[in-house]
């Protein structure tokens, strides 16, 4: 090898090593976990006696680019679970069942006391602070989201 070729070869080897190191590092970096299409946060349920009724509250985030529609809620902890909305009519509060709850793309629906909520009817056990209720949210596109809801005092 001539003395002129040695520096050029050294430059090629250093460059190739640098590229290989960067590629290897990029392959081993962890990517962020994917954002769930439907995410449920800030969930809680009210305390209640066995056989009674309680309410569950939550934020349902639609992280998708298309609207989604909640069409049902199931639980083994109550005889029934239904989405209800509290509305004022003639100065009185009334709860109306909602058979569907549309959540626009990129939006959040907040279930709060005095508004939208999941009504837990005919509880199969008492709900005390520290307990939890298991719910499954069913959407019109067959998406199903399991949620564990902690019991709290308001």
């Amino acid at each position: 090898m001539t003395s002129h070729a040695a520096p050029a070869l050294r430059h090629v080897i250093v460059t190739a090593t640098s590229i290989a190191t960067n590629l290897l590092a990029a392959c081993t970096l962890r990517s962020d976990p994917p954002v769930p299409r439907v995410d449920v946060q800030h969930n809680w349920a009210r305390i209640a006696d066995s056989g009674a009724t309680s309410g569950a509250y939550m934020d349902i985030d639609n992280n998708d680019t298309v609207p989604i529609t909640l069409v049902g809620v199931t639980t083994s902890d109550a005889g029934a679970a239904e989405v209800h909305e509290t509305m004022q009519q003639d100065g009185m509060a009334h709860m109306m069942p909602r058979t569907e709850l549309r959540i626009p793309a990129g939006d959040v629906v907040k279930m709060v006391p005095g508004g939208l909520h999941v009504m837990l009817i005919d509880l199969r056990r008492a709900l005390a602070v520290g307990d939890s209720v298991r719910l499954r949210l069913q959407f019109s596109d067959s998406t199903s989201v399991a949620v564990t809801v902690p019991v709290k005092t308001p």
Side-chain angles (χ1 to χ4, degrees):
M1 179 181 302
T2 67
S3 61
H4 297 289
L9 182 57
R10 190 178 356 234
H11 177 72
V12 168
I13 292 172
V14 168
T15 301
T17 303
S18 177
I19 290 171
T21 302
N22 287 336
L23 286 173
L24 184 58
C27 290
T28 60
L29 287 177
R30 291 186 187 171
S31 61
D32 291 334
V35 174
R37 190 167 158 251
V38 178
D39 193 24
V40 178
Q41 300 179 39
H42 309 113
N43 48 337
W44 66 281
R46 291 184 182 273
I47 59 173
D49 292 328
S50 179
T53 300
S54 181
Y57 311 96
M58 63 199 74
D59 294 350
I60 305 173
D61 298 346
N62 177 4
N63 297 313
D64 206 343
T65 57
V66 295
I68 58 173
T69 303
L70 178 65
V71 294
V73 182
T74 58
T75 182
S76 60
D77 295 317
E82 300 174 354
V83 175
H84 284 208
E85 184 172 14
T86 304
M87 296 183 278
Q88 297 290 326
Q89 184 178 20
D90 298 326
M92 305 252 328
H94 299 276
M95 280 187 272
M96 302 296 293
R98 297 277 303 261
T99 56
E100 293 185 345
L101 180 60
R102 187 173 184 274
I103 305 168
D107 207 353
V108 177
V109 167
K110 294 181 178 290
M111 293 188 170
V112 298
L116 289 167
H117 58 280
V118 174
M119 182 70 72
L120 302 170
I121 303 164
D122 191 22
L123 289 167
R124 295 191 169 125
R125 61 185 174 89
L127 300 180
V129 172
D131 290 342
S132 62
V133 177
R134 294 174 314 278
L135 301 178
R136 182 162 297 278
L137 308 181
Q138 305 287 336
F139 295 89
S140 60
D141 64 353
S142 299
T143 298
S144 176
V145 178
V147 182
T148 300
V149 181
V151 177
K152 301 179 180 180
T153 53

